[in-house]
Amino acid sequence: MLDISLSVNCLLKKDPTLKDLFYGPQIENLQPESNFFQSIIRSIVYQQLSGKAAKKIHERFINIFKLGKYPDPKDVLNISKEKLKSVGLSYMKVDYIKNVATYFIENPKVITSLDQKSDQEIIEIVSSIKGVGVWTVQMFLMFTLNRPDVFPVTDLALQKGYSAFYKKKKLVDPKKMLNHSKKWIPYRTTMSLYLWRYLEGPFEW
């Protein structure tokens, strides 16, 4: 389990220059989530969108089912693509969401044992579903399983926060960010959360 306070103290011992990054109220510990289907669908909805826009679309997605709870894979497969698109989803995302629902139904043993696997194993398994990229799985690792060492360098907001904190005029190349992040192992999730907050405020679903 990720302990934000412990990881901040350890990171400061490794790199005292991070003091300004951690200034202000401490970020609270993440809470594990048990609905893996919901987590992955939510991440797909949020792909390449601002948090506010994605949140509205995700809420409309839930509401079209009129279930009073989050839809399960069968619910998603039984609703038309046109209905899903009506909430603001692109045709590609609708297909991706349907793909995830199919995978969950066809591979229940794989899904229920995900939390017992390593980060890399989870990335390989879940990103094998068409439409689920590495970023989506990284969000799952961080916010659902609360894995402590995730650093999603392809995330634009993270790139902006990193570049701003290190006073770079242009966005830093993700490969350079990833190489630099090795000094923060095994607490890169904490670094991600604080770099997001540095420029744009806390990451919110």
Side-chain angles (χ1 to χ4, degrees), residues 42-59:
R42 180 183 61 196
S43 293
I44 289 174
V45 173
Y46 273 68
Q47 287 174 4
Q48 299 178 323
L49 290 176
S50 69
K52 288 183 179 179
K55 187 174 184 179
K56 288 181 180 179
I57 292 172
H58 191 230
E59 289 172 351

Side-chain angles (χ1 to χ4, degrees), residues 88-100:
L89 292 164
S90 67
Y91 276 121
M92 288 182 66
K93 286 189 178 181
V94 168
D95 283 339
Y96 297 162
I97 287 169
K98 293 273 190 180
N99 292 343
V100 172

Side-chain angles (χ1 to χ4, degrees), residues 16 33 51 85 98 110 126 128 131 134 160 179 188 197 202:
E33 300 173 341
K85 190 175 183 299
K98 293 273 190 180
V110 175
V126 182
S128 71
V134 173
K160 289 180 177 179
N179 186 57
R188 287 182 290 184
R197 189 183 78 169

Side-chain angles (χ1 to χ4, degrees), residues 95-177:
D95 283 339
Y96 297 162
I97 287 169
K98 293 273 190 180
N99 292 343
V100 172
T102 299
Y103 188 91
F104 268 66
I105 290 171
E106 294 180 349
N107 301 275
K109 290 183 179 179
V110 175
I111 295 303
T112 55
S113 63
L114 274 180
D115 57 351
Q116 300 166 31
K117 301 184 183 300
S118 69
D119 291 3
Q120 189 55 42
E121 286 174 326
I122 294 170
I123 288 173
E124 290 173 2
I125 291 168
V126 182
S127 65
S128 71
I129 307 170
K130 187 176 180 181
V132 180
V134 173
W135 178 88
T136 299
V137 189
Q138 288 174 321
M139 296 302 104
F140 174 75
L141 288 170
M142 294 175 72
F143 294 101
T144 301
L145 301 184
N146 302 163
R147 295 293 173 90
D149 195 40
V150 184
F151 197 64
V153 292
T154 60
D155 185 272
L156 182 58
L158 185 67
Q159 293 173 9
K160 289 180 177 179
Y162 178 97
S163 300
F165 179 71
Y166 286 103
K167 297 178 171 55
K168 305 295 183 181
K169 293 182 179 180
K170 297 181 179 180
L171 293 181
V172 177
D173 181 89
K175 290 182 180 179
K176 291 183 178 179
M177 287 175 58

